[in-house]
Amino acid sequence: MEGGYWRNTNSTIKMAYYNYIKALHLIFVITWFAGLFYIPRLFIYHIEAAQKSSPEKEILSTQLKLMTKRLWYIITWPSAVLATTFAIVLLFLQPILLEQSWMQVKLGFVIALLLYHLKNHQIFKQLQQDKIRYTSKFMRIWNEGATLILFAVIFLVLLKSAFNWIYGVVGIFVLGVLLMLGIRWYKKIRDKNPNA
């Protein structure tokens, strides 16, 4: 009986340890996404500031570079590294997850998220050097990339099915269409009223 007690206690401790790691992973996923949601918005402001006249252009550009740099290096990059590190630890503790089809599809979306992050890093570096290669309209569309990935991952994690998540992805595409329509609608409002 005593051996069974210690076996159960050891299992309880392992589960508590696993849950703490999972909690940390989720916390840093949330902060990572917060950074990824906000950084393209700052890119939009930076691109639009470059079209203004002096001295407003220089003042806004300097301030936006500082804000973007702090967001990127103090919140977004550390969160990406920590979320990924804790995810690797979770997979190490539960390697059987890698055999499940929903997890394999989820990891595909994680790779897409990492590529999205790296592309944002490239745009960040360009804007820090005042090299503007994209329009604010493109950035408004680009801004929705993290949203689409988030929807896909949440559906996968909650449904835990490599097939049923497809309904969620169809929903993502519908969401994408609605976002595009919303962006066009907002642009029309801004064209009529630049302060909107």
Side-chain angles (χ1 to χ4, degrees):
M1 176 149 181
E2 191 173 308
Y5 170 78
W6 287 110
R7 198 175 307 119
N8 290 339
T9 302
N10 193 21
S11 176
T12 303
I13 291 170
K14 284 181 185 175
M15 193 51 142
Y17 175 71
Y18 181 82
N19 285 334
Y20 278 114
I21 300 296
K22 190 187 244 183
L24 289 168
H25 169 65
L26 289 172
I27 288 165
F28 289 111
V29 164
I30 291 166
T31 57
W32 183 16
F33 270 100
L36 289 176
F37 288 150
Y38 192 45
I39 198 88
R41 180 58 43 191
L42 291 175
F43 294 164
I44 292 166
Y45 299 150
H46 195 144
I47 291 165
E48 290 177 351
Q51 298 166 356
K52 297 192 181 292
S53 56
S54 293
E56 188 179 12
K57 172 183 175 178
E58 289 78 18
I59 293 167
L60 287 171
S61 179
T62 301
Q63 182 62 36
L64 288 164
K65 282 181 187 177
L66 180 63
M67 290 170 66
T68 307
K69 187 175 181 181
R70 287 177 177 166
L71 172 67
W72 198 239
Y73 288 125
I74 296 173
I75 296 171
T76 314
W77 260 113
S79 296
V81 170
L82 289 167
T84 304
T85 300
F86 288 121
I88 291 167
V89 171
L90 289 170
L91 290 173
F92 178 77
L93 293 172
Q94 294 284 334
I96 196 161
L97 289 173
L98 292 170
E99 297 173 16
Q100 297 179 17
S101 57
W102 70 270
M103 179 57 78
Q104 294 165 6
V105 175
K106 178 190 169 192
L107 291 175
F109 280 109
V110 170
I111 290 168
L113 183 66
L114 289 168
L115 293 173
Y116 180 81
H117 179 99
L118 292 173
K119 183 62 180 177
N120 276 314
H121 185 74
Q122 181 186 45
I123 296 167
F124 161 77
K125 297 284 268 187
Q126 290 167 354
L127 288 174
Q128 289 293 310
Q129 298 168 6
D130 292 318
K131 295 177 184 172
I132 297 174
R133 303 224 165 109
Y134 301 97
T135 64
S136 62
K137 183 179 179 181
F138 171 84
M139 275 299 142
R140 281 187 169 78
I141 295 167
W142 178 256
N143 191 27
E144 305 310 327
T147 304
L148 297 175
I149 294 169
L150 178 66
F151 268 71
V153 170
I154 294 296
F155 277 112
L156 276 165
V157 170
L158 291 179
L159 297 175
K160 291 194 175 25
S161 166
F163 178 73
N164 287 336
W165 71 273
I166 292 171
Y167 299 117
V169 171
V170 170
I172 290 167
F173 285 113
V174 170
L175 174 68
V177 168
L178 291 174
L179 288 171
M180 297 306 159
L181 291 172
I183 289 167
R184 284 186 169 199
W185 178 68
Y186 180 68
K187 185 179 183 323
K188 285 180 183 179
I189 290 172
R190 283 197 64 195
D191 288 344
K192 290 179 184 175
N193 180 6
N195 295 323

